Amino acid sequence: MPYALFCNDAQISKAYPDESDVWKLAQRSGLVVDVSSDDERPGPRRVLDNDYEIKPCRVAQGEDPAKNKAEAEQQSRMELELNT
């Protein structure tokens, strides 16, 4: 099942094959924050900034989650090269 990033129940990202792919996108976009641990979980845990959620989604007609993932990874590599 594909996943996407949502804000206030509106899908704001393309669909990706796995939830972890959307976490990577959210991290690069600055939407992931670390919060302090609680008694049940040691160490910090990552959460999404206000009103953002990662949820299963339907794939739009003609959309390919695997292609979206490949394009996002390619863009990330290009950004790393430009920053070095």
Side-chain angles (χ1 to χ4, degrees), residues 10-84:
Q11 183 174 335
I12 60 170
S13 77
K14 296 177 182 178
Y16 292 88
D18 297 307
E19 186 176 0
S20 64
D21 300 320
V22 185
W23 274 105
K24 290 175 190 174
L25 171 70
Q27 179 74 44
R28 286 193 306 267
S29 299
L31 301 176
V32 177
V33 295
D34 288 334
V35 295
S36 60
S37 62
D38 54 27
D39 292 336
E40 296 176 19
R41 297 181 183 174
R45 58 187 173 98
R46 62 185 187 167
V47 295
L48 294 171
D49 208 356
N50 299 330
D51 299 323
Y52 292 98
E53 298 178 274
I54 296 172
K55 301 191 297 190
C57 68
R58 291 186 170 188
V59 177
Q61 185 173 352
E63 185 177 26
D64 181 358
K67 182 179 177 185
N68 292 342
K69 177 181 178 179
E71 288 173 353
E73 289 173 348
Q74 181 181 15
Q75 181 178 355
S76 180
R77 284 191 300 272
M78 286 176 45
E79 289 172 0
L80 283 174
E81 289 174 6
L82 291 174
N83 291 330
T84 56

